[in-house]
């Protein structure tokens, strides 16, 4: 009876912490969504739909380097949470310092190599656009390589906050960076000499500065006991992080091929304006996904904590509630689909035109993606990601020809159909695996 009370108290404390994070995150995400929606017309007005499509494509390509942390950040979150759940403060400190050291080495090398090879890449030819853009894109990429690499190193503070079940604070830091970037771009619209280079400084450099300030403040006060130190660097721990993180890395790399290749295919087949259409429409419907992720994000580490403590009663109860919540996303998404012409007219005037078939395709894709993400966050928290990794790796090999063929025949709707198929298969396997885990029936491959 005493043990049961302990489990109930732990479950209640965990639930209260999750609720606090969700409430704070909902408020913050409302502001973040508003900022992201304002960023699109502001940036399009500063550039134009064609240049904005080029910007989206080139920034997504440079953003690929974020996938080469070999899964250290995700592995760190789980391992730090486990160490803290077990009361091992020294091990938690070692995970923090070791992760910083490893990422500085990895991304320090990546930044240097990227900057060196950047000047030998024909970006205009690669994207199949006018050669006059080549010099500008070389400079833009140089700025992006530097700041994206630094942002990944500085982003460890956000991972630490999430691992410590303070995901709302991590989200607030991101929102502040976006907000300051929006203000800077708005100010730029009043000056002549508009350039994609200024956009790259605003959207990649400012978030770095905000993360740096947040890192200094948090390690000076809230996380003083975890401040990175050479004496806590223990590279033998990278094996523990990379064993789990390596699986995350393969998943990330596969998602890079499956998801990020979209902009390149669209740019080459349909043109830069199709990239703008796709991304603007995704930004609109992804509000569903963003709100759902606000609710789900605290559960990653909460499930890590619950699984370490074998609190299956709490995990099953929460899983049922999350499934009920997902039903509301279907309803809200359908309402968004019905009113999208009015919203787009108000939001972007006549600068971007979207047809109904593309809108319906995006709605269905985002619903499938959101459901898959819901299951993945829970499974990621538990750490049983082997099946997820295998599925993503398999689809990584077939996604490029699949998306290319579908896009050739059906344009943006074809791309969305191919991506929806990938995530639907992933969701079906994840649902079976999670059911087995929560019922304590997972064996063999289902328990890896």
């Amino acid at each position: 009876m005493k043990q049961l009370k302990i489990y109930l108290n732990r479950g209640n404390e965990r639930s209260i912490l999750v609720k606090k994070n969700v409430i704070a995150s909902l408020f913050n995400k409302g502001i973040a969504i508003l900022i992201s929606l304002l960023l699109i017309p502001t940036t399009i007005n500063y550039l134009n739909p064609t240049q904005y499509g080029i910007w989206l494509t080139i920034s997504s390509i440079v953003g690929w380097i974020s996938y080469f942390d070999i899964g250290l950040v995700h592995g760190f979150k789980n391992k730090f949470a486990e160490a803290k759940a077990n009361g091992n403060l020294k091990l938690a400190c070692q995970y923090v310092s070791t992760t910083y050291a490893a990422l500085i080495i990895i991304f320090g090398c990546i930044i240097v190599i990227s900057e060196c090879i950047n000047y030998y890449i024909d970006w205009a030819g690669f994207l199949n656009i006018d050669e006059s853009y080549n010099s500008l894109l070389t400079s833009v990429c140089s700025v992006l390589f530097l700041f994206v690499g630094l942002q990944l190193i500085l982003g460890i503070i956000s991972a630490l906050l999430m691992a410590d079940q303070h995901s709302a604070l991590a989200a607030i830091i991101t929102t502040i960076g976006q907000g300051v970037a929006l203000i800077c771009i708005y100010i730029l619209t009043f000056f002549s000499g508009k350039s994609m280079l200024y956009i790259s400084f605003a959207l990649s450099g400012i978030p770095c500065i905000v993360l740096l300030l947040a890192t200094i403040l948090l390690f000076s006060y809230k996380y003083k006991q975890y401040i990175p130190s050479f004496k806590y660097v223990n590279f033998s721990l990278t094996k523990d992080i990379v064993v789990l993180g390596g699986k995350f890395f393969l998943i990330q790399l596969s998602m890079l091929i499956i998801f990020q290749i979209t902009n390149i295919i669209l740019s080459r087949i349909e043109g830069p304006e199709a990239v703008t259409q796709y991304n603007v429409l995704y930004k609109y419907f992804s509000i569903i996904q963003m709100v759902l992720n606000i609710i789900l994000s605290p559960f990653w580490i909460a499930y890590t904590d619950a699984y370490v403590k074998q609190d299956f009663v709490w995990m099953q109860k929460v899983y049922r509630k999350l499934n009920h919540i997902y039903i509301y996303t279907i309803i809200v998404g359908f309402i968004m689909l019905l009113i999208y012409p009015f919203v787009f007219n108000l939001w972007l005037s006549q600068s971007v035109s979207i047809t109904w078939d593309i809108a319906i395709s995006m709605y269905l894709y985002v619903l499938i993606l959101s459901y898959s993400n819901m299951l993945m966050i829970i499974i990621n928290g538990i750490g049983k990601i082997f099946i997820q990794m295998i599925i993503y790796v398999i689809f990584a090999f077939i996604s490029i020809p699949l998306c290319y063929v579908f896009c050739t025949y059906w344009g943006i709707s074809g791309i969305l159909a191919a991506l929806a198929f990938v995530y639907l298969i992933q969701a079906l396997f994840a649902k079976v695996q999670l059911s087995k885990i929560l019922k304590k029936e997972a064996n063999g491959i289902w328990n890896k």
Side-chain angles (χ1 to χ4, degrees), residues 42-310:
T42 304
T43 310
I44 291 176
N45 289 337
Y46 179 73
L47 301 171
N48 59 54
T50 300
Q51 289 185 7
Y52 183 65
I54 296 171
W55 159 254
L56 289 172
T57 305
I58 206 73
S59 59
S60 70
I61 292 172
V62 174
W64 291 357
I65 67 174
S66 66
Y67 290 83
F68 291 93
D69 67 345
I70 61 174
L72 282 171
V73 174
H74 287 314
F76 161 72
K77 283 196 296 185
N78 283 51
K79 290 299 179 181
F80 179 90
E82 289 175 12
K84 191 174 180 187
N86 291 323
N88 194 334
L89 179 61
K90 182 179 178 181
L91 182 60
C93 290
Q94 288 178 327
Y95 279 131
V96 172
S97 297
T98 303
T99 303
Y100 265 107
L103 288 184
I104 288 172
I105 293 171
I106 292 171
F107 285 108
C109 293
I110 289 175
I111 290 171
V112 172
I113 294 170
S114 298
E115 294 289 359
C116 289
I117 67 174
N118 176 43
Y119 291 92
Y120 297 96
I121 299 175
D122 179 9
W123 289 108
F126 179 66
L127 297 178
N128 196 27
I129 58 177
D130 194 287
E131 285 294 326
S132 62
Y133 282 104
N134 206 47
S135 177
L136 172 62
L137 292 182
T138 298
S139 299
V140 168
C141 287
S142 181
V143 172
L144 288 175
F145 279 128
L146 174 62
F147 285 121
V148 170
L150 291 175
Q151 191 171 341
L152 291 164
I153 297 170
L154 294 169
I156 299 175
I157 193 65
S158 296
L160 175 59
L161 286 167
M162 288 186 279
D164 196 32
Q165 300 194 55
H166 291 294
S167 58
L169 184 53
I172 289 170
I173 293 171
T174 301
T175 301
I176 291 172
Q178 292 176 333
V180 178
L182 172 62
I183 293 170
C184 287
I185 294 173
Y186 179 72
I187 293 172
L188 285 172
T189 60
F190 292 98
F191 294 88
S192 59
K194 298 177 180 181
S195 172
M196 207 181 298
L197 187 60
Y198 299 148
I199 292 292
S200 65
F201 273 109
L203 293 179
S204 64
I206 289 172
C208 272
I209 296 172
V210 172
L211 279 171
L212 178 61
L213 294 174
T215 299
I216 294 171
L217 288 173
L218 287 168
F219 278 128
S220 297
Y221 299 99
K222 184 177 179 62
Y223 291 123
K224 196 170 185 178
Q225 71 272 34
Y226 299 120
I227 190 168
S229 171
F230 284 112
K231 69 178 181 179
Y232 285 124
V233 174
N234 182 1
F235 285 114
S236 65
L237 290 177
T238 55
K239 180 181 178 182
D240 295 333
I241 302 174
V242 171
V243 167
L244 177 60
K247 296 175 184 176
F248 280 118
F249 171 64
L250 286 176
I251 291 171
Q252 287 176 304
L253 190 59
S254 300
M255 289 178 68
L256 164 65
I257 298 170
I258 295 169
F259 190 71
Q260 295 294 337
I261 205 72
T262 300
N263 287 334
I264 298 175
I265 293 174
L266 280 172
S267 180
R268 292 186 65 86
I269 297 177
E270 298 287 315
E273 288 191 29
V275 179
T276 298
Q277 290 176 322
Y278 173 89
N279 281 273
V280 166
L281 190 60
Y282 176 74
K283 181 68 72 175
Y284 173 67
F285 278 107
S286 68
I287 293 173
I288 305 169
Q289 186 185 355
M290 285 190 284
V291 173
L292 189 60
N293 281 344
I294 292 168
I295 299 169
L296 294 174
S297 183
F299 287 100
W300 179 316
I301 299 304
Y303 264 87
T304 301
D305 181 76
Y307 190 73
V308 168
K309 296 170 181 175
Q310 295 291 286

Side-chain angles (χ1 to χ4, degrees), residues 381-397:
I382 295 172
K384 308 295 183 180
I385 61 173
F386 183 75
I387 293 177
Q388 179 186 168
M389 178 188 71
I390 294 299
I391 293 173
Y392 274 124
V393 170
I394 291 173
F395 276 112
F397 284 101

